[in-house]
Every structure is written in structure tokens, then in C-alpha cells.
Amino acid sequence: VQLVESGGGLVQPGGSLRLSCAISGWRLSYFGVGWFRQAPGKEREGVACIVGDDGSARYESSVKGNFTISRDNAKNTVYLQMNGLEPEDTAVYYCAATNFYRNYIAHCFMEPKYDYWGQGTQVSVSS
């Protein structure tokens, strides 16, 4: 299984970006997928997660209302639409996947629950 993130870049405050996480080697519908980020000097944190089968999602409180996670099972791809970006959103963004299990949503911001990780994509928010 491989995960490849794309869509990062430099954006001005208030701007938007859409990140993609392309999954190969297994069907997205069997997975739970999370987006995490790591800002300079900080620990990695979960921001959003989604169940590949039914699209159930959960958001970390600081991004709720500005970030939207979605998936396209036909393309085996998960997206993170980020609106209203601010400098504090600057980080390397990672996607991660695990075989879905019953309590996945409740655990989805726990890094050890994930088996597969992408290499990350840089998001920089600056004027």
C-alpha cells in the first residue's frame, strides 16, 4: 500500500488549498484515512479523518468549519479542502491509512492506529 500526497504550496492568509492523498495497493473503501500535520517545532497532530466506505468524518476542533475532508472511491483518493488558511496552518501535511475497524472514528487522531503513511506535503501560509 502506498499513499502519495499532493496539492501543497504557498498561499496568502485567507486563501485556500486542496490536498489530495492518492492510495494504491488496496481499496479505499476498506480503509480509514486521516490527515495529520506537523508544524515547525511542534508535535504532529490529527486534523481530519474519514471512513472510506461510508464517508463518516471527524474534525479537530481548530479546523472545523474551515477544512473539509472527502473521498472519491472510484479514484481511490482522499481530499482535504482547506479554506480560510492562516499562518498557524503552516505545516507538513500527511495522510495515513489503516484497515477500517469498528471504533475507527473514535481513535482516528491516534497515530499508532495507522499502518500506512505518505511522505507529506508542505503547506505554507504567508503574506
Side-chain angles (χ1 to χ4, degrees):
V1 177
Q2 289 189 321
L3 284 67
V4 178
E5 302 98 334
S6 61
L10 175 64
V11 63
Q12 292 186 340
S16 299
L17 283 174
R18 189 178 80 156
L19 305 183
S20 298
C21 174
I23 300 173
S24 61
W26 202 238
R27 292 178 63 176
L28 172 56
S29 59
Y30 296 158
F31 281 153
V33 178
W35 282 100
F36 292 77
R37 66 184 179 185
Q38 187 166 23
K42 294 188 177 181
E43 294 186 352
R44 190 156 55 185
E45 63 174 353
V47 296
C49 63
I50 192 166
V51 176
D53 184 29
D54 65 9
S56 300
R58 177 185 169 196
Y59 297 91
E60 193 272 331
S61 58
S62 70
V63 306
K64 192 176 292 185
N66 284 344
F67 288 14
T68 302
I69 191 170
S70 63
R71 93 277 190 226
D72 184 334
N73 285 7
K75 295 182 179 180
N76 244 35
T77 300
V78 173
Y79 304 98
L80 186 67
Q81 177 67 44
M82 306 185 294
N83 299 328
L85 286 164
E86 297 297 334
E88 52 265 34
D89 295 312
T90 294
V92 178
Y93 284 71
Y94 301 88
C95 64
T98 184
N99 291 307
F100 176 75
Y101 59 97
R102 183 177 177 184
N103 293 324
Y104 165 73
I105 284 289
H107 301 159
C108 76
F109 294 152
M110 299 179 183
E111 293 182 41
K113 297 294 186 180
Y114 289 90
D115 302 306
Y116 311 104
W117 289 82
Q119 81 289 348
T121 186
Q122 176 70 48
V123 171
S124 299
V125 185
S126 174
S127 55

